[in-house]
Amino acid sequence: MKFEDLLSEINGFGRFQKMVLIINFFGRFSLACHFLLGNFIAVIPSHHCDIGSLDADGILGNLSREERLTVSIPAQEDGTPASCHMFSYPQFHLLMNSSSRTELPVVECQNGWEYDNSTFISTLATQWDLVCDNRALSRLTTTIFFIGVMFGAAAYGSLSAMYGRKPMLLVSYISGMGFGLCSAFSSSFIMFAVLRFFTGFTITGSVIISTVLNVEWVSIEHRKLVGVIDSLSWTFGFMSISLLAFCIRDWRWLTVSISLPTIIAIITWWWIPESARWLIANGKADKAYNYLHKCAVMNRKQEGTARIKPEELAKIIVTGRGNRKYSYLDLIKTTKMRRLALLTGITWFAVATVAYGISFNISSFGLNMYLTQFVYGAIEIPAKLSIYYLLDKFGRHITQAGSLLLVGICLVINIFIPKDKTVVRTVIAVLGKGCSATSFGTVILYSSELYPTVLRQNGMGYTSFVGRLGVSVAPLILLSDDIWSHFSQVILSSIALSAAFVAYQLPETRGRCLPETIEDIEGNRKGTDGSPLQDRKIEGKEGSRVKWKDDLILQNT
């Protein structure tokens, strides 16, 4: 008997599942905002050297601000004051002839910088002077955060497989909020960088655990709907961060504002159930029966659990596991699992690198960054809603490969559009962002369907680890534009196009039962009819009821 058969009997998408889905939806708000926080707190506003040292004796007292800058700061090619250099002494003759600037003695800024605060009250750059030779440190905080996310994904994948989904979800919520709030009151850049690492490390558990919980509690026919709703939680966060950042221009209070809502997730955690699949697979059939009974009661399907006993649940998933502990090494011990891990790893790396390479590039189009970020988030709504149709019409691997292909094409097109065509470039980028959103929404659901129950959390942890490695690399790829203005677009488009071919090699999961064991992946475990269990497709509702009853009778004889 398959777990899906029992789940269909007690309603695989009733009020119980909808409650879990809604709680996890809002529980991700802080996570999505933290992922794009660097777009707003790591911005480097316009700046120039503090010229106070040149006016020590008040010799500039009678000059206007523009005249002070003229005699104190060399001008760049576009006429704006230089950001990192100043004259070694006032050049008053420039007030008469501003064109005679050649061979004038300049030095690096001596007393810090003055910043344009018209857009931001405070950013990391203005807080710790992360400009000129230190300008890369501002963006480095994003990479540090995602390195934390990367290692956290691996850690939480393993820990939640060992200790359960629900306890580790609470640990993620509490520790993520704690480190997030502490980082807002950092007294030094090093302290902030360290706390951002641990924020990323702890907060990432909420997404990989909630994704698995959502999938493991719903029936086959509703998995794609859950996957779409699940991914829309990111869209909600991405759109909200632009509105919050527009209203809160101070980096400390913006960080606080996106961390505090986790309190709601901590409160609603009490209503989150443990995964019944995980409990059964780990020999805790009594607890699994309690949760299944709660599900049946809430869905008004009490008769679904009344006909079986707790001890009979252990026979639903024949794992042959005993007291065995599964680890990440099990992902590479067998041939098909090894191939699956390789293909999903490459796909996740590409999807994450390209998606965030686009998302982190909101200020390069010459348009309002808040509006650009909001539009980037808004375009994800139709893109992710289309997943529901695409997954049903074309299947998982074609949708995954096709969306990556379209992202690559959009990036290639933007390479050949002149930089001054800001509106056109932004439109193409938004289309690419929409396709990348489709790709990201698909890969999360797809991966959770590909891995067996005994390794699903490890598999999601591994793929999330590789994906966050891609996100960590994305800001560094954007820095390559200093070498050639289109270099980053060439790299991102190459990654997307290559990954489209890789994703096409993944097996289809549409309409199939979730695999429970490694033997299901390898094709070694047979059902009562002698067919491989992983090849079983969804049946009609009545047929499903008869099938799981027959399986239970056969297994008890």
Side-chain angles (χ1 to χ4, degrees):
M1 178 174 63
K2 294 291 288 182
F3 185 84
E4 278 81 1
D5 300 327
L6 175 58
L7 201 57
S8 296
E9 182 71 9
I10 61 176
N11 191 348
F13 195 64
R15 293 192 299 173
F16 183 85
Q17 285 80 5
K18 292 172 184 176
M19 175 196 71
V20 175
L21 188 60
I22 292 173
I23 292 175
N24 285 333
F25 183 96
F26 291 103
R28 293 184 178 188
F29 174 80
S30 289
L31 176 70
C33 291
H34 270 290
F35 270 40
L36 294 183
L37 181 62
N39 278 355
F40 301 100
I41 69 172
V43 171
I44 300 177
S46 300
H47 56 279
H48 59 76
C49 297
D50 185 338
I51 58 176
S53 60
L54 298 181
D55 192 29
D57 299 324
I59 58 177
L60 304 180
N62 295 326
L63 300 180
S64 65
R65 182 178 183 278
E66 289 73 17
E67 291 174 333
R68 288 175 178 234
L69 293 178
T70 299
V71 302
S72 304
I73 308 291
Q76 302 180 106
E77 293 182 0
D78 59 0
T80 59
S83 299
C84 302
H85 294 88
M86 58 187 291
F87 294 126
S88 56
Y89 54 88
Q91 305 294 323
F92 290 105
H93 67 279
L94 294 178
L95 295 174
M96 305 297 296
N97 183 10
S98 61
S99 61
S100 57
R101 294 176 177 268
T102 59
E103 303 299 330
L104 295 178
V106 297
V107 295
E108 294 183 349
C109 298
Q110 303 296 304
N111 297 295
W113 291 263
E114 292 183 9
Y115 298 94
D116 178 8
N117 294 323
S118 60
T119 302
F120 301 96
I121 296 176
S122 175
T123 68
L124 299 181
T126 63
Q127 184 73 44
W128 292 299
D129 288 336
L130 304 181
V131 295
C132 298
D133 291 341
N134 293 324
R135 65 180 293 113
L137 293 178
S138 189
R139 277 294 182 184
L140 185 62
T141 56
T142 300
T143 297
I144 291 173
F145 172 79
F146 282 106
I147 290 175
V149 170
M150 179 175 65
F151 286 103
Y156 275 95
S158 179
L159 291 172
S160 58
M162 294 171 59
Y163 302 109
R165 283 43 162 161
K166 184 174 181 177
M168 297 313 301
L169 184 62
L170 181 62
V171 171
S172 176
Y173 284 152
I174 295 176
S175 55
M177 184 182 71
F179 283 116
L181 291 175
C182 289
S183 68
F185 300 99
S186 300
S187 57
S188 68
F189 173 75
I190 294 178
M191 179 181 177
F192 177 78
V194 171
L195 289 173
R196 281 298 284 171
F197 171 86
F198 284 108
T199 301
F201 184 93
T202 53
I203 202 172
T204 189
S206 62
V207 62
I208 61 175
I209 295 173
S210 61
T211 296
V212 170
L213 272 175
N214 287 340
V215 171
E216 291 187 336
W217 269 109
V218 299
S219 56
I220 296 175
E221 63 268 29
H222 292 103
R223 285 205 307 255
K224 63 179 182 293
L225 175 61
V226 168
V228 172
I229 297 174
D230 202 41
S231 64
L232 283 174
S233 63
W234 291 87
T235 303
F236 173 64
F238 290 167
M239 295 175 66
S240 299
I241 184 65
S242 62
L243 298 175
L244 286 172
F246 180 78
C247 298
I248 305 173
R249 305 297 180 95
D250 182 277
W251 75 269
R252 293 186 187 274
W253 290 112
L254 180 59
T255 305
V256 170
S257 68
I258 67 171
S259 299
L260 279 179
T262 308
I263 293 176
I264 299 176
I266 294 173
I267 295 173
T268 56
W269 171 87
W270 296 100
W271 287 275
I272 291 286
E274 179 57 273
S275 168
R277 293 177 186 269
W278 181 87
L279 290 170
I280 296 173
N282 284 270
K284 301 179 180 180
D286 288 339
K287 290 184 178 180
Y289 181 84
N290 290 335
Y291 281 115
L292 288 168
H293 182 67
K294 289 179 181 179
C295 175
V297 171
M298 184 174 288
N299 292 344
R300 298 173 183 175
K301 296 284 185 178
Q302 294 93 323
E303 66 277 6
T305 55
R307 286 189 287 266
I308 61 173
K309 299 177 181 179
E311 56 269 18
E312 294 171 343
L313 288 177
K315 300 176 182 179
I316 291 180
I317 304 175
V318 186
T319 63
R321 145 179 202 152
N323 294 322
R324 180 186 172 188
K325 298 296 183 182
Y326 286 82
S327 69
Y328 286 106
L329 291 177
D330 290 290
L331 295 174
I332 58 174
K333 284 183 177 179
T334 57
T335 304
K336 291 186 179 180
M337 279 301 306
R338 195 159 47 241
R339 181 176 185 272
L340 177 63
L342 176 63
L343 295 179
T344 54
I346 294 174
T347 302
W348 265 84
F349 178 86
V351 169
T353 303
V354 173
Y356 283 92
I358 297 173
S359 296
F360 292 154
N361 201 25
I362 62 173
S363 59
S364 65
F365 298 105
L367 300 178
N368 183 283
M369 63 184 302
Y370 301 104
L371 178 61
T372 302
Q373 178 59 64
F374 185 83
V375 173
Y376 270 4
I379 192 63
E380 291 191 4
I381 297 178
K384 290 181 175 178
L385 289 177
S386 69
I387 295 176
Y388 189 79
Y389 169 78
L390 295 172
L391 293 182
D392 188 49
K393 181 70 176 179
F394 301 106
R396 272 62 162 166
H397 78 294
I398 292 180
T399 301
Q400 188 68 71
S403 56
L404 279 168
L405 179 64
L406 292 175
V407 174
I409 292 173
C410 289
L411 290 169
V412 170
I413 292 174
N414 247 352
I415 294 174
F416 298 98
I417 299 178
K419 289 279 189 179
D420 58 345
K421 304 291 185 180
T422 56
V423 175
V424 177
R425 284 174 55 81
T426 302
V427 169
I428 298 299
V430 168
L431 291 175
K433 183 64 172 69
C435 293
S436 72
T438 300
S439 178
F440 221 132
T442 301
V443 76
I444 295 174
L445 172 65
Y446 198 7
S447 298
S448 65
E449 293 179 338
L450 286 168
Y451 285 99
T453 297
V454 295
L455 278 176
R456 186 167 296 121
Q457 200 67 70
N458 294 98
M460 292 299 290
Y462 154 72
T463 54
S464 185
F465 176 90
V466 177
R468 302 322 169 197
L469 174 62
V471 181
S472 303
V473 171
L476 305 180
I477 292 177
L478 296 180
L479 291 177
S480 66
D481 284 342
D482 294 339
I483 301 173
W484 177 45
S485 59
H486 297 297
F487 203 177
S488 66
Q489 303 299 299
V490 172
I491 296 174
L492 293 174
S493 61
S494 300
I495 292 174
L497 295 174
S498 300
F501 172 77
V502 174
Y504 190 75
Q505 309 303 313
L506 288 167
E508 182 57 67
T509 60
R510 176 177 52 172
R512 298 187 182 278
C513 295
L514 290 178
E516 307 292 357
T517 68
I518 295 176
E519 287 75 18
D520 286 344
I521 299 297
E522 299 298 323
N524 298 330
R525 192 159 73 98
K526 307 295 183 180
T528 56
D529 57 358
S531 63
L533 284 176
Q534 77 278 11
D535 289 338
R536 289 188 178 181
K537 295 187 177 182
I538 185 171
E539 305 174 22
K541 186 174 182 181
E542 293 303 319
S544 176
R545 289 182 180 179
V546 174
K547 188 73 178 74
W548 79 259
K549 291 176 186 175
D550 290 345
D551 279 350
L552 182 57
I553 293 172
L554 286 169
Q555 291 177 25
N556 286 332
T557 58

